[in-house]
Amino acid sequence: MMKISVNVDCTPEEARAFFGLPDVAPVNDMIVSAMKERTRENIDTLSDPKIFWEKAMAASGQGMDAMSTMFNTMMKQQDPAKKK
C-alpha cells in the first residue's frame, strides 16, 4: 500500500476561488455593521441586566413557540394515518 501526501500553501481567498465558492466578505461586512448598529441602538438594554433578561426571556419564549409549531407541522406531514 502506498500513501501520497500533498500540501498546498495558499490563502483562504485562493482556496475559495479555486473551488469556485462565492466571496461572502461583502455580506459578512454588511451583517457585522448591522449588528454594530443594533448594539449601539440597544446599548441601554445591554448595560441594564434587568431589561436585558426581560427581553431575552421574551425572545426565547417566542423561539420555543415557533419551534413547537414547526415540529407539530412536520409531525402532521409524516403521520402514516393521513397517507392511507
Side-chain angles (χ1 to χ4, degrees), residues 1-69:
M1 183 167 152
M2 183 188 321
K3 287 188 177 184
I4 297 175
S5 296
V6 177
N7 293 323
V8 178
D9 185 22
C10 66
T11 65
E13 292 81 16
E14 292 169 335
R16 178 193 46 76
F18 176 78
F19 287 110
L21 300 173
D23 183 9
V24 294
V27 176
N28 184 57
D29 293 340
M30 180 183 69
I31 292 170
V32 169
S33 65
M35 289 177 70
K36 285 180 182 178
E37 184 60 33
R38 284 188 181 175
T39 301
R40 280 189 209 101
E41 292 171 359
N42 295 308
I43 196 69
D44 60 329
T45 300
L46 296 173
S47 62
D48 184 353
K50 182 180 180 217
I51 296 172
F52 174 81
W53 284 111
E54 285 173 354
K55 287 190 175 187
M57 291 297 113
S60 69
Q62 292 169 353
M64 291 300 289
D65 290 342
M67 185 178 295
S68 175
T69 301

Side-chain angles (χ1 to χ4, degrees), residues 74-84:
M74 289 183 346
M75 294 302 284
K76 287 177 185 175
Q77 291 174 351
Q78 298 299 320
D79 188 4
K82 288 190 174 190
K83 291 183 179 180
K84 290 181 181 178

